[in-house]
Amino acid sequence: MRAVYSTTYIPMSSAEIELFLLELVDVIADALQAEPFSAEPVAVVGDRMVAAHLTGVETLQRTVEVLGRALLFAPELRGVDRLAEKVVAILGALGARFATATRLDAFRQQEEIKSALLHAKQGVERVLRVSEARFREVFDSSVMGIVITELDGTIVEANEAMNGILGGRERLIGRSLPARFHPDDAEVLTASYRAVREGAVDRFREQRRLVRIDGEPAWVYLAVSVLRDADGEAAFHVTMVEDVSELHLMQKNLDSLLLRDPLTGLSNRQHFVTQLETVHSRSEHGITLYHLDLDSFALINNGLGHDTGDRLLQQTASRLRAVVADQDAFVARIGGDEFAVVVDNSPGSPGVTEMIDLINDELSAPTFVEDLGIAVTATIGVLDRPSPEWTVGQLLRAANTTLHQAKAKGKRQWLPYDPHEDARQRAAARISASMPGAFENGELEVDFHPVIGLADRTVVGVSARLRWGSLGHRQCLDMAAETGLSLPVGQWMLRHAAERMVHWRNTTGTPLLPLHVALSPMQSRDEDLVGAVKQTLDETGLPVGDLRISLHTRAVLIGGSDDNVQVLTDSGIPTGLNDFHGGQDELALLSELPIDSVTIAPTTVRALATHTDRNPLLHNAMTSLVALVREAGITVTAAGVNTDTEADWWAQIGTDTAQGDFYTATRTPTALADLFNTQP
């Protein structure tokens, strides 16, 4: 209300205006939240604004400014999907309808004026002077330009408003109106005037351009009809002219906002999708899509400020334009620090490798900000000459997938699209995406695997392992991490395993074997880990001394797990490290924290098994490592030992326990199932 109150005269009180606008805001909010989404219901807002005389020069501009800011941050709309895209569509529909309603309102006024003109010209003699006075008053005081011309276009009457539209102080009478037609519109307008003169149409209304006295174009709405003499013959043309240059500029700016990124001037994502579809469908030699993500751009924003980050984004946009300046290509900004380059290939187009080098060389040149030379690098996913049958959605998904694969390799990397890897990752993604439902439906299971003392090959404990159908423990943990289920799945596994062990003890009367539980990285860093473990022990009845917890080594190294190790140990729970590789930084943890045991990572165990004869260096190093760790009073377990030969070697170098298929291969599965996997 405050924004538009001063832009025009409205025959309502401020309170009435506010209530009126509140109704329009409700219409917009309802449209944004509706499913399926459509901007069409918002058209009525433009009609009602014009009907209420909210038609000032700045009214629409201020309306767009207020709504553009407020709708994006309204709490009630926070949950709306693709809010920014919908807001842009809403504002576009509002602006377009406002322009249409304003034009129709102007045409209505034009018709009233023309009606007065006709009555004035054709009035009977006895009211001639009254009619002439009325005509002159309307003619002179109208804010719209009015010009009466001979049939050949010579001006015989023109009011001051018309003079102002054309931007000159010289009188127009006697001059030619067609001479003021814009060259690009002259042919069409001449034909339209002829159609009215010859009676093919009664009148025409068109948005066209006239040329001002200073040579600049003026966008106008023309409403043209004909005045006839007493015999019904065409005598004059009457042309009503409304200057809509400012409205046209505002519409052009609004269109630009819908299609362009305001910071870099590049096509935004919405416009990019349209361009990509067009180029891909008509390309003769195929397109190449380069999807770029600037490396570690958050460091620039956080370290040097967002103003510096914005300057670098602008510089990046300029340099990418320079790379493809001599090619049939376009550049778009499709995300915060993501860009896309699309090349419509020709026989002379550079190859992918050459293009990557051009992009990297261009981006690597430093930009100096406050005497600091700052440069950015980019990781790039490349989709080269995809099938013409692919949709835009398939193109974008394939390029984005390839980009993420390249980012996994490190900084300033690039990869071409690999359909086989894409199919593999899509299959894995489908399985991962279904894990929350599987967890909710109870499809995950906990299996028990024996922990074997290598000195006498006896079972000294059981290890709880996740299983989901054919997917093993490691795969389940990875998928849980991808879907945000690490904590709930890990806590469920611990509780379920404890309940099963207590049930087995109560059912068989046999003393419990220690329960080994290896935590995921997320669980290892969980601030509530100690509380969750204690609660599980209290509620299941599993004795503290019968639980062995091992935290993920890398998570402990990164930090945030030290307190968990200390408090668990102080609580009487033996605490170790899993996924241990024996690096120097990992060994340092053994002297810094009260570690009870380490479990050698399965990948290291497999590597040693693979290089049994070819690389004694690895075996000598592991022999020394095991001896060193055991000297510190820490138990060593090897995970993933698959054969008796491997088990013998680990026993020989002093390893305390092992897990793996080497034990189950020489025992009957039924006996193991009865021993460890008895259901409550």
Side-chain angles (χ1 to χ4, degrees):
M1 186 277 288
R2 288 194 299 270
V4 303
Y5 187 81
S6 60
T7 63
T8 185
Y9 170 73
I10 310 171
M12 291 187 285
S13 67
S14 60
E16 291 173 330
I17 296 173
E18 185 170 354
L19 290 174
F20 172 77
L21 294 176
L22 181 59
E23 294 178 1
L24 303 187
V25 169
D26 287 339
V27 173
I28 294 172
D30 290 342
L32 282 171
Q33 298 177 82
E35 290 294 341
F37 170 75
S38 171
E40 184 176 351
V42 179
V44 70
V45 175
D47 292 336
R48 294 184 62 183
M49 287 178 66
V50 173
H53 303 292
L54 286 164
T55 55
V57 174
E58 298 180 0
T59 303
L60 179 59
Q61 178 181 347
R62 294 190 181 183
T63 299
V64 171
E65 289 174 354
V66 170
L67 291 176
R69 288 192 302 267
L71 293 175
L72 290 174
F73 301 101
E76 298 88 342
L77 303 177
R78 191 166 298 158
V80 174
D81 186 33
R82 299 182 294 112
L83 178 60
E85 179 182 340
K86 293 180 179 180
V87 168
V88 170
I90 288 291
L91 295 181
L94 172 59
R97 190 63 180 188
F98 181 90
T100 301
T102 302
R103 184 171 69 254
L104 292 176
D105 186 63
F107 285 156
R108 180 184 58 77
Q109 298 180 41
Q110 292 171 5
E111 290 298 329
E112 293 176 358
I113 295 173
K114 286 194 292 185
S115 178
L117 289 173
L118 290 171
H119 279 86
K121 285 289 185 180
Q122 298 176 350
V124 294
E125 186 66 26
R126 61 186 179 83
V127 295
L128 181 59
R129 283 179 297 179
V130 175
S131 298
E132 180 65 25
R134 183 184 303 134
F135 164 76
R136 184 55 55 187
E137 178 63 25
V138 170
F139 190 83
D140 292 340
S141 63
S142 175
V143 296
M144 294 184 183
I146 304 175
V147 58
I148 300 175
T149 60
E150 300 281 1
L151 297 182
D152 62 1
T154 302
I155 299 173
V156 296
E157 290 279 0
N159 65 356
E160 286 300 316
M162 186 65 193
N163 211 33
I165 291 172
L166 293 180
R169 296 188 176 183
E170 300 179 4
R171 290 179 58 82
L172 297 174
I173 296 176
R175 298 178 179 272
S176 172
L177 180 61
R180 301 259 63 89
F181 293 167
H182 191 278
D184 293 342
D185 295 331
E187 183 177 350
V188 174
L189 283 174
T190 299
S192 297
Y193 270 88
R194 184 188 307 113
V196 171
R197 180 174 65 250
E198 294 175 355
V201 294
D202 292 335
R203 60 185 61 83
F204 74 85
R205 300 168 177 170
E206 293 184 10
Q207 179 177 317
R208 295 293 176 183
R209 286 166 292 179
L210 299 179
V211 179
R212 302 183 193 272
I213 300 300
D214 59 8
E216 292 296 318
W219 282 94
V220 296
Y221 270 113
L222 301 174
V224 180
S225 58
V226 68
L227 286 175
R228 301 186 180 276
D229 59 20
D231 297 327
E233 298 295 327
F236 302 95
H237 282 131
V238 179
T239 304
M240 314 287 288
V241 183
E242 180 187 7
D243 189 349
V244 294
S245 297
E246 290 187 7
L247 188 61
H248 182 81
L249 179 61
M250 185 178 297
Q251 183 67 47
K252 184 177 180 181
N253 290 338
L254 185 58
D255 290 341
S256 179
L257 288 174
L258 292 171
L259 302 177
R260 296 288 172 184
D261 171 47
L263 179 64
T264 63
L266 297 176
S267 296
N268 59 19
R269 187 176 186 87
Q270 180 179 355
H271 191 210
F272 166 71
V273 169
T274 303
Q275 287 178 295
L276 178 60
E277 183 175 20
T278 301
V279 173
H280 180 54
S281 63
R282 64 173 173 78
S283 178
E284 295 183 4
H285 300 280
I287 65 167
T288 303
L289 169 57
Y290 301 84
H291 189 173
L292 292 78
D293 182 61
L294 302 185
D295 297 326
S296 302
F297 192 73
L299 294 177
I300 296 174
N301 278 336
N302 296 334
L304 301 176
H306 286 272
D307 289 342
T308 300
D310 288 347
R311 287 182 57 185
L312 282 176
L313 289 173
Q314 292 169 335
Q315 187 70 27
T316 298
S318 177
R319 290 177 176 179
L320 290 176
R321 283 198 195 99
V323 169
V324 299
D326 58 348
Q327 302 180 46
D328 187 2
F330 64 92
V331 183
R333 183 186 179 200
I334 58 177
D337 56 358
E338 293 185 27
F339 294 84
V341 178
V342 177
V343 178
D344 187 1
N345 291 299
S346 66
S349 297
V352 170
T353 303
E354 181 182 354
M355 188 68 175
I356 293 293
D357 290 340
L358 289 172
I359 292 174
N360 285 332
D361 291 344
E362 191 70 31
L363 295 183
S364 63
T367 298
F368 288 90
V369 179
E370 299 178 357
D371 298 328
L372 296 175
I374 305 170
V376 295
T377 60
T379 300
I380 308 172
V382 182
L383 181 60
D384 187 33
R385 291 176 171 84
S387 168
E389 304 300 322
W390 280 27
T391 65
V392 171
Q394 290 174 308
L395 297 175
L396 295 176
R397 191 203 60 76
N400 186 64
T401 298
T402 307
L403 172 63
H404 283 286
Q405 294 170 10
K407 289 173 68 176
K409 295 177 59 179
K411 310 297 184 186
R412 194 175 175 174
Q413 302 293 315
W414 74 275
L415 278 179
Y417 173 70
D418 183 345
H420 302 294
E421 178 64 16
D422 183 34
R424 188 193 67 79
Q425 290 200 2
R426 290 186 70 182
R430 281 194 294 269
I431 296 174
S432 296
S434 62
M435 189 177 199
F439 179 53
E440 184 70 23
N441 295 332
E443 297 177 23
L444 270 64
E445 299 183 51
V446 176
D447 288 343
F448 292 93
H449 293 239
V451 178
I452 307 302
L454 291 178
D456 55 7
R457 301 296 177 93
T458 59
V459 178
V460 297
V462 291
S463 173
R465 311 282 290 177
L466 282 172
R467 181 171 56 83
W468 177 24
S470 62
L471 302 178
H473 183 72
R474 176 57 61 184
Q475 292 170 298
C476 289
L477 288 182
D478 291 343
M479 290 181 180
E482 290 177 356
T483 54
L485 291 176
S486 283
L487 292 182
V489 167
Q491 291 168 2
W492 170 82
M493 181 184 72
L494 174 61
R495 173 179 291 275
H496 191 66
E499 290 174 346
R500 291 269 294 277
M501 291 298 293
V502 172
H503 172 77
W504 179 65
R505 178 195 63 187
N506 296 338
T507 302
T508 64
T510 305
L512 286 177
L513 292 169
L515 172 63
H516 294 251
V517 178
L519 304 184
S520 67
M522 181 66 72
Q523 271 187 290
S524 301
R525 294 191 297 268
D526 182 19
E527 295 181 356
D528 297 326
L529 172 63
V530 175
V533 171
K534 289 184 176 180
Q535 182 179 0
T536 298
L537 296 176
D538 292 341
E539 295 179 356
T540 62
L542 182 70
V544 171
D546 288 327
L547 178 63
R548 306 286 188 271
I549 291 286
S550 62
L551 281 67
H552 193 274
T553 304
R554 181 55 55 182
V556 178
L557 278 174
I558 293 173
S561 303
D562 295 9
D563 289 345
N564 286 337
V565 175
Q566 188 66 56
V567 177
L568 286 171
T569 301
D570 293 343
S571 302
I573 301 173
T575 305
L577 298 175
N578 67 67
D579 211 35
F580 191 84
H581 295 273
Q584 184 175 353
D585 51 352
E586 296 180 350
L587 289 173
L589 293 175
L590 304 184
S591 61
E592 297 170 358
L593 298 172
I595 300 299
D596 176 82
S597 63
V598 296
T599 301
I600 306 299
T603 54
T604 301
V605 174
R606 285 196 298 271
L608 287 164
T610 303
H611 297 89
T612 301
D613 300 322
R614 291 178 294 169
N615 197 339
L617 177 62
L618 293 178
H619 294 78
N620 294 337
M622 182 55 67
T623 300
S624 300
L625 174 66
V626 171
L628 181 64
V629 173
R630 294 189 76 236
E631 283 180 12
I634 298 172
T635 301
V636 178
T637 299
V641 179
N642 294 324
T643 67
D644 278 334
T645 302
E646 294 175 33
D648 291 340
W649 183 84
W650 284 101
Q652 179 184 344
I653 67 171
T655 307
D656 297 284
T657 59
Q659 302 174 34
D661 294 340
F662 79 97
Y663 183 82
T664 58
T666 59
R667 271 67 173 180
T668 63
T670 303
L672 289 174
D674 292 341
L675 179 59
F676 301 114
N677 298 323
T678 303
Q679 293 288 340

